[in-house]
Amino acid sequence: MSGPAVDRRLQGEGATPLAGVGTVVWYRPDDSVDLDEPPDDVDPKAELARFEEAIETARTELEREREETREHVGEEEAEVFGAHLQFLSDPIIEDGVEAAVTDDGLPAPHAVRAAFAGPIEQFEGMDGRMKERADDLRDVRDRLLRILTGAERVDLRSLPEGSVVFAERLTPSDTAQLDPAVVAGFVTATGGRTSHAAIFARSLALPAVVGVGAGLYEVDEGTEVVVDGDAGEVVLNPTEETRARASDGLDAPVREAPVETSDGREIEVAANVGRPAEIEAAVERGADGVGLYRSEFLFVDRDAPPGEAEQYEAYRDALDAFPDGRVVVRTLDIGGDKPVPYLDLPEEENPFLGDRGIRRSLGNDADLFETQLRALLRAAADGAGDLAVMLPLVSTVEEVRAARTRLEAVASALDEAGVDHAIPEFGVMIETPAAVLMGPDLASEVDFFSIGTNDLAQYVMAAARGNERVSELRDFRQPAVIRAIRETVRAAEGTECWVGMCGEMAGDPDLTELLLGLGLDELSMSAVTVPAVKQRVTAVDTDEARELATHVASASTKEQVVDRLTSQGESP
């Protein structure tokens, strides 16, 4: 494939609105470890013990990688490894291994390969996201085989600078190793935009194209390529002009100023952040402010909770980073998938439906909540930007009133102590069906709603975020999810309550017109997609967007939603 620049192109599906230039490095892991012929006689008891030991080792690795991913990539991506932990204890796999050992006389590695074959094939035969679950199973299978055989793991952390990783597929474990400071992008033959590799790429701000197909295998190692994650193209042996455009950034230009729709409606495009480095990235990518400050990141990975002074500094730093913008801080959202060792969190059968979010702040964590409110009210007075405080997992009006009473009590105490403070905007996350149904009542209690589509989809569709078997139901394009968003906006109509969105759905440029048509005032997302969403906002005509939203919200199946989005609201 070497030779003069001819701009030969391969088409796939863009995973990120970013572009990169680099040199192909093929990643060909031995996804089926070379196993010798099984011996004639095995000790079933010993082989099953080997398998159990491998399970425990894999569990330890996955727990570590989940924490590393939570810290370096994101909370949502870290829970991919939670799903892998579920696969480790899947009775179908366990029974399959036991049968292969005891009935077929196979040693543990061969039994693992046999037990995973059927489930992988079953997922491969499905459509959409369910098909991509086969990669999760491969990831777990390969981990167990590596442990059982003592094989070395391919290290993707040591790639040369400017590498573009080409692979048949990348598992979550593979993608989590990629360093955006070194890797210029990646391209896979299989997969789609909802695959874990694509989701990781967006969080890591890596140019990526997936699902290119068999043509990818014809590209030689060392070929110079452009990865255009916006157009979904891979350009081989690019011309100087193509290379220059990519080097300058084929992705959407960064716009520091707020943007308007084509008919003059201003839309706030903000970023979701959790750590100081993410705030810096949000500023660099042109975010208007912070639509979701995950304050729980101040509380994790430590032996004791942060004090008032430490929190005050963190919130003030965020406000100072956006002197002309707004910073929405979500109060402590502990519980569910966010364990904190120094808190007495209960062991619950379903922690997502348990003691978490505002429930703990009004209960066992009342002291932590009061300290956080003191820090927030002080920062609201001293920070350059505008502060808003948002309550997580609200289900009742009583919760909102109780939280506001606590906030007012903290303000009174600060008054008495002569401490400067200010009352911030006060809002709630809409992420439970109860909050959607109680929307009109809640709108009269607060200044704003922020729709958390990740949890909203989970609860509306009764499909747990950690359970990859039902991930297709959590698709934001499910009619029930879209209608829940529509009803939330309607609940705020005619009030002073503005409506934003801080879930992953807000960061998909392909859904921007729909969301604006539904009536969203603000969109908050991973910083990497801010420029692309801002660019898309400027092309939206509000009347046309409303027509599209009406058309899409009347769909009764996800397939109809997809078709209507593709046709951009043409009459049925």
Side-chain angles (χ1 to χ4, degrees):
M1 295 296 297
S2 60
V6 293
D7 258 16
R8 181 188 169 197
R9 298 168 187 262
L10 298 174
Q11 191 67 41
E13 192 172 0
T16 54
L18 299 170
V21 183
T23 303
V24 172
V25 175
W26 265 100
Y27 175 56
R28 294 186 175 93
D30 186 3
D31 63 352
S32 57
V33 176
D34 188 18
L35 301 178
D36 296 331
E37 284 294 318
D40 293 332
D41 290 318
V42 299
D43 180 347
K45 185 176 180 180
E47 294 303 315
L48 290 175
R50 285 181 66 200
F51 172 65
E52 290 300 326
E53 289 176 8
I55 289 286
E56 289 307 311
T57 301
R59 184 171 286 115
T60 299
E61 288 184 357
L62 285 166
E63 292 283 6
R64 183 182 67 250
E65 290 175 21
R66 178 164 64 174
E67 291 307 311
E68 291 174 349
T69 302
R70 179 177 287 125
E71 180 176 355
H72 298 297
V73 185
E75 193 77 28
E76 192 79 11
E77 294 76 15
E79 283 315 300
V80 170
F81 295 100
H84 289 197
L85 284 164
Q86 287 188 337
F87 281 131
L88 281 180
S89 55
D90 190 314
I92 294 177
I93 299 297
E94 291 178 339
D95 292 347
V97 171
E98 183 175 356
V101 171
T102 58
D103 298 342
D104 301 333
L106 293 177
H110 297 74
V112 165
R113 181 186 288 175
F116 276 84
I120 289 174
E121 183 179 358
Q122 182 180 6
F123 278 115
E124 283 283 13
M126 297 182 181
D127 295 323
R129 292 188 178 185
M130 295 305 290
K131 182 174 183 177
E132 291 155 2
R133 300 293 74 79
D135 283 347
D136 292 301
L137 281 170
R138 288 190 187 91
D139 206 342
V140 175
R141 177 201 63 189
D142 295 347
R143 185 183 298 271
L144 289 171
L145 288 176
R146 172 176 54 78
I147 293 168
L148 285 165
T149 61
E152 290 190 13
R153 185 177 188 175
V154 177
D155 187 7
L156 289 174
R157 293 183 176 90
S158 59
L159 294 171
E161 187 171 354
S163 296
V164 174
V165 178
F166 272 38
E168 178 179 359
R169 60 174 56 85
L170 288 173
T171 66
S173 297
D174 296 331
T175 316
Q177 296 182 65
L178 301 179
D179 182 354
V182 173
V183 176
F186 70 79
V187 184
T188 63
T190 64
R193 199 174 184 278
T194 59
S195 66
H196 290 317
I199 293 170
F200 273 58
R202 289 191 284 278
S203 297
L204 291 167
L206 270 175
V209 176
V210 297
V212 171
L216 193 69
Y217 304 124
E218 300 175 12
V219 182
D220 292 335
E221 180 116 357
T223 302
E224 186 177 29
V225 296
V226 166
V227 181
D228 184 348
D230 187 31
E233 287 186 335
V234 183
V235 185
L236 313 179
N237 298 312
T239 63
E240 286 294 336
E241 180 184 359
T242 301
R243 190 185 298 110
R245 283 204 311 270
S247 298
D248 291 339
L250 282 171
D251 51 314
V254 172
R255 300 167 187 249
E256 296 182 358
V259 292
E260 298 178 343
T261 60
S262 63
D263 54 311
R265 178 184 167 203
E266 186 170 315
I267 300 296
E268 185 177 350
V269 182
N272 300 336
V273 306
R275 300 181 185 278
E278 293 175 337
I279 294 174
E280 182 180 345
V283 172
E284 292 175 351
R285 302 293 291 177
D288 298 329
V290 173
L292 171 62
Y293 187 111
R294 301 182 180 96
S295 68
E296 58 272 11
F297 280 104
L298 297 171
F299 291 77
V300 299
D301 299 327
R302 56 193 301 157
D303 298 326
E308 179 183 332
E310 181 180 347
Q311 290 191 61
Y312 164 79
E313 292 295 337
Y315 304 141
R316 181 170 175 176
D317 286 346
L319 288 164
D320 289 346
F322 292 97
D324 300 317
R326 172 167 45 203
V327 174
V328 181
V329 177
R330 179 174 68 189
T331 60
L332 188 57
D333 188 12
I334 292 297
D337 60 340
K338 304 181 185 76
V340 176
Y342 55 80
L343 294 180
D344 184 23
L345 296 175
E347 288 192 11
E348 299 173 295
E349 184 173 347
N350 191 336
F352 282 103
L353 300 180
D355 192 17
R356 58 172 291 214
I358 190 60
R359 300 167 186 176
R360 288 196 62 86
S361 293
L362 296 174
N364 291 343
D365 297 337
D367 290 344
L368 288 180
F369 187 46
E370 181 175 332
T371 300
Q372 182 172 36
L373 290 176
R374 285 179 60 89
L376 286 165
L377 267 60
R378 289 176 55 208
D382 298 339
D386 296 324
L387 180 69
V389 172
M390 177 167 66
L391 307 177
L393 204 74
V394 165
S395 299
T396 69
V397 170
E398 291 91 336
E399 290 168 335
V400 176
R401 290 176 178 170
R404 187 184 283 279
T405 298
R406 300 280 177 90
L407 186 147
E408 291 171 349
V410 167
S412 295
L414 290 171
D415 263 336
E416 292 178 8
V419 177
D420 286 343
H421 66 283
I423 301 296
E425 281 189 289
F426 183 71
V428 297
M429 288 193 73
I430 303 295
E431 48 190 338
T432 67
V436 174
L437 293 171
M438 296 300 295
D441 303 88
L442 292 172
S444 64
E445 302 280 341
V446 299
D447 300 308
F448 68 94
F449 292 156
S450 186
I451 302 171
T453 51
N454 298 348
D455 265 342
L456 182 63
Q458 168 180 231
Y459 295 131
V460 165
M461 301 304 299
R465 286 165 63 176
N467 189 340
E468 294 304 317
R469 291 182 176 82
V470 293
S471 60
E472 182 70 17
L473 289 171
R474 293 196 307 274
D475 193 311
F476 306 130
R477 297 169 298 178
Q478 290 286 355
V481 176
I482 292 172
R483 293 184 189 183
I485 296 168
R486 179 190 63 185
E487 293 310 306
T488 299
V489 175
R490 285 179 174 176
E493 289 176 352
T495 74
E496 296 297 317
C497 179
W498 58 268
V499 185
M501 177 181 288
C502 59
E504 186 182 333
M505 185 179 186
D508 188 341
D510 292 336
L511 299 177
T512 299
E513 183 178 8
L514 169 66
L515 296 178
L516 300 191
L518 288 169
L520 275 295
D521 302 300
E522 177 246 34
L523 301 173
S524 188
M525 63 211 66
S526 172
V528 67
T529 57
V530 165
V533 170
K534 277 194 163 185
Q535 181 169 271
R536 194 62 61 92
V537 167
T538 63
V540 171
D541 176 273
T542 301
D543 288 339
E544 292 178 0
R546 286 172 180 159
E547 289 180 13
L548 172 66
T550 299
H551 192 37
V552 170
S554 68
S556 56
T557 68
K558 195 190 90 170
E559 182 180 7
Q560 288 178 343
V561 169
V562 173
D563 287 344
R564 294 176 187 191
L565 284 171
T566 302
S567 65
Q568 294 296 293
E570 294 175 3
S571 299

